[in-house]
């Protein structure tokens, strides 16, 4: 049997399904005839991200909160697999409000594990984070070598990994953690104090505003296009290799781009749509607390154990994302 057939007519719960990554996962799962349940409290997610699915016969929305065990239990009923994406992202948000971040990202995560266990869910795949590498300077980042967390957010994501490990050992719940590296693509919110850098810069250029880089632009990131993230989630759901389970993987491109290169690439791609964007200067300010200077993933483990074959490098992904924003932001 084709492994992708495994998901046909199965039920997958996507927590945080109205958010950026979650809504892209819902869309893909529906396209391969999977039944999708989306659990979201719309704290950062948007109704418009799931509006196209609301009439779909295989889609069900549960408006609820992962901090509420009852909501988690209801959402996990008759579910085969979970893609757990619900969390409060952003390092600065966690520095401003560590208690709420901890409640959602740790207590909410634990509720979801308990609900998965009690409903005999077959596999729990969850969004981990590259922030878990913390202050360890080695590049590229390999899954087994981490440093000390640099923010409350990073602590919560590391605690998720520890809980997932214990739920395998104690209750035999199969889990896979996906350490996402700076994901970007359609549906990522460009607005608000905690917006990610790529949609923010794109929107600023489209509005003829200067993007502002924290630091001198030399900090670098392994920016990862959403299609690669979808692939890893699906591969994590369908793998039948026991060696591939109950561990964590980097989900990245394996390519490092500086913030300055990012800003200039966005500008040059957008200039093809609107020549006036070429005249916009880039501005600089101090580095932010909690930001790591460089991030680059080894994707060898994902390739070897989860058959990961990234389809989009940084440039291909950025061009696709910019086309989407150009058609949807203006
Ligand atoms: N985007 C990235 O670059 C990145 C990097 C590393 C890890 N991650 C992780 O990936 C996951 C998805 O991130 P995203 O970028 O799509 O963020 P997002 O904010 O767009 O999506 C998160 C979703 O979770 C929902 N949510 C938040 N709190 C909730 C609660 N208490 N109950 C129910 N739903 C709740 C939000 O409403 C939103 O729809 C998160 O776990 C995040 O930590 C993202």
């Amino acid at each position: 049997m084709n492994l992708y057939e495994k998901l046909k007519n199965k039920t997958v719960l996507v927590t945080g399904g109205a958010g950026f990554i979650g809504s892209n996962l819902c869309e893909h799962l529906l396209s391969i005839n999977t039944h999708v349940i989306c659990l979201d409290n719309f704290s950062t997610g948007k109704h418009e991200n799931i509006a196209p699915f609301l009439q779909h016969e295989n889609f069900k929305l549960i408006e609820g909160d992962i901090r509420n065990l009852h909501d988690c239990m209801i959402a996990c009923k008759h579910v085969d697999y979970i893609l757990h994406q619900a969390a409060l992202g952003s390092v600065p948000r966690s520095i401003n409000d560590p208690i709420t971040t901890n409640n959602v990202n740790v207590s909410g995560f634990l509720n979801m594990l308990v609900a998965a266990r009690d409903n005999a869910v077959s596999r729990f795949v969850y969004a981990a984070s590259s922030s878990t590498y913390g202050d360890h300077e080695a590049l590229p980042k390999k899954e087994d070598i981490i440093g000390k967390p640099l923010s409350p957010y990073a602590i919560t994501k590391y605690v998720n990994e520890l809980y997932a490990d214990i739920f395998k050992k104690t209750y035999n719940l199969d889990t896979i953690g996906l350490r996402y590296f700076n994901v970007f693509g359609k549906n990522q919110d460009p607005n608000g104090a905690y917006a990610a850098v790529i949609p923010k810069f794109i929107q600023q250029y489209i509005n003829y505003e200067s993007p502002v880089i924290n630091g001198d632009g030399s900090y670098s990131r392994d920016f990862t296009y959403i299609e690669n993230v979808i692939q890893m989630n699906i591969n994590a759901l369908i793998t039948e290799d026991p060696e591939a389970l109950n561990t964590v993987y980097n989900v990245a491109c394996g390519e490092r781009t500086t913030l300055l290169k990012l800003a200039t690439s966005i500008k040059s791609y957008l200039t093809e749509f609107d020549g006036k964007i070429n005249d916009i200067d880039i501005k600089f300010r101090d580095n932010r607390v909690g930001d790591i200077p460089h991030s680059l993933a080894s994707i060898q483990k994902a390739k070897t154990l989860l058959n990961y074959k990234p389809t989009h490098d940084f440039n291909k992904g950025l061009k696709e994302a910019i086309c989407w924003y150009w058609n949807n932001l203006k």
Side-chain angles (χ1 to χ4, degrees):
M1 179 178 71
N2 174 347
L3 280 182
Y4 287 87
E5 290 282 308
K6 253 182 85 175
L7 292 177
K8 201 170 163 186
N9 296 324
K10 295 283 187 201
T11 300
V12 179
L13 167 63
V14 182
T15 69
F20 157 47
I21 296 172
S23 60
N24 279 283
L25 291 171
C26 290
E27 181 180 54
H28 184 81
L29 289 167
L30 290 171
S31 78
I32 56 170
N33 296 318
T34 304
H35 296 262
V36 177
I37 298 172
C38 163
L39 171 66
D40 206 297
N41 72 347
F42 295 94
S43 54
T44 59
K46 291 186 182 161
H47 287 277
E48 67 204 54
N49 287 344
I50 53 162
F53 321 137
L54 289 176
Q55 301 308 320
H56 199 296
E57 57 180 355
N58 288 346
F59 184 79
K60 181 175 162 193
L61 170 65
I62 298 177
E63 193 158 346
D65 197 310
I66 59 167
R67 287 168 292 185
N68 180 334
L69 180 59
H70 181 68
D71 289 355
C72 299
M73 293 298 258
I74 288 176
C76 286
K77 272 213 166 63
H78 310 302
V79 159
D80 297 297
Y81 305 115
I82 295 175
L83 295 178
H84 177 60
Q85 310 300 308
L88 285 178
S90 162
V91 164
R93 186 206 313 271
S94 77
I95 291 170
N96 292 339
D97 183 359
I99 292 178
T100 308
T101 295
N102 193 79
N103 286 341
V104 175
N105 296 10
V106 178
S107 301
F109 187 88
L110 183 55
N111 284 338
M112 281 303 306
L113 282 175
V114 168
R117 179 200 67 185
D118 290 357
N119 285 282
V121 171
S122 303
R123 194 170 297 176
F124 184 92
V125 175
Y126 63 97
S129 166
S130 60
S131 63
T132 296
Y133 290 102
D135 65 0
H136 203 284
E137 287 177 0
L139 293 179
K141 309 289 183 199
K142 293 194 178 138
E143 283 84 348
D144 288 348
I145 307 166
I146 62 170
K148 283 199 171 152
L150 289 167
S151 66
Y153 172 74
I155 293 177
T156 68
K157 287 290 169 175
Y158 181 45
V159 171
N160 289 178
E161 295 185 8
L162 297 175
Y163 265 125
D165 190 48
I166 287 302
F167 266 65
K168 172 63 187 173
K169 289 176 179 144
T170 317
Y171 309 112
N172 203 25
L173 175 67
D174 277 331
T175 70
I176 290 181
L178 301 176
R179 286 185 190 158
Y180 300 155
F181 280 66
N182 292 80
V183 186
F184 69 98
K186 76 170 183 182
N187 292 355
Q188 192 171 29
D189 193 351
N191 297 306
Y194 304 123
V197 62
I198 291 183
K200 192 156 119 188
F201 282 7
I202 293 173
Q203 184 169 62
Q204 285 168 327
Y205 275 125
I206 289 176
N207 293 343
Y208 302 128
E209 293 163 12
S210 289
V212 184
I213 291 178
N214 300 316
D216 64 3
S218 63
Y219 277 20
S220 60
R221 295 287 178 268
D222 195 333
F223 293 108
T224 307
Y225 191 54
I226 186 69
E227 287 295 329
N228 299 329
V229 174
I230 294 170
Q231 183 195 136
M232 275 294 281
N233 275 276
I234 298 298
N235 291 2
L237 287 182
I238 63 179
T239 182
E240 290 181 344
D241 176 4
E243 292 287 304
L245 299 176
N246 304 303
T247 186
V248 295
Y249 296 90
N250 291 339
V251 180
C253 203
E255 177 187 349
R256 193 154 67 100
T257 305
T258 65
L259 270 290
L260 186 56
K261 169 83 171 40
L262 171 70
T264 48
S265 299
I266 292 174
K267 177 167 150 169
S268 96
Y269 294 146
L270 276 174
T271 297
E272 291 173 24
F273 293 97
D274 179 349
K276 279 195 275 179
I277 290 174
N278 198 33
D279 301 332
I280 301 168
D281 290 334
I282 298 166
K283 294 206 165 87
F284 299 86
R285 66 182 170 207
D286 288 347
N287 279 318
R288 278 190 320 195
V289 179
D291 272 350
I292 49 170
H294 302 290
S295 181
L296 170 69
S298 162
I299 52 174
Q300 198 51 52
K301 183 174 172 184
K303 284 181 170 172
T304 308
L305 286 174
L306 276 191
N307 195 27
Y308 176 47
K309 295 187 180 88
T311 53
H312 289 67
D313 64 11
F314 166 73
N315 278 307
K316 184 176 174 193
L318 189 63
K319 280 184 191 163
E320 274 193 21
I322 283 177
C323 277
W324 185 85
Y325 280 105
W326 183 258
N327 291 320
N328 287 274
L329 272 189
K330 295 186 326 111

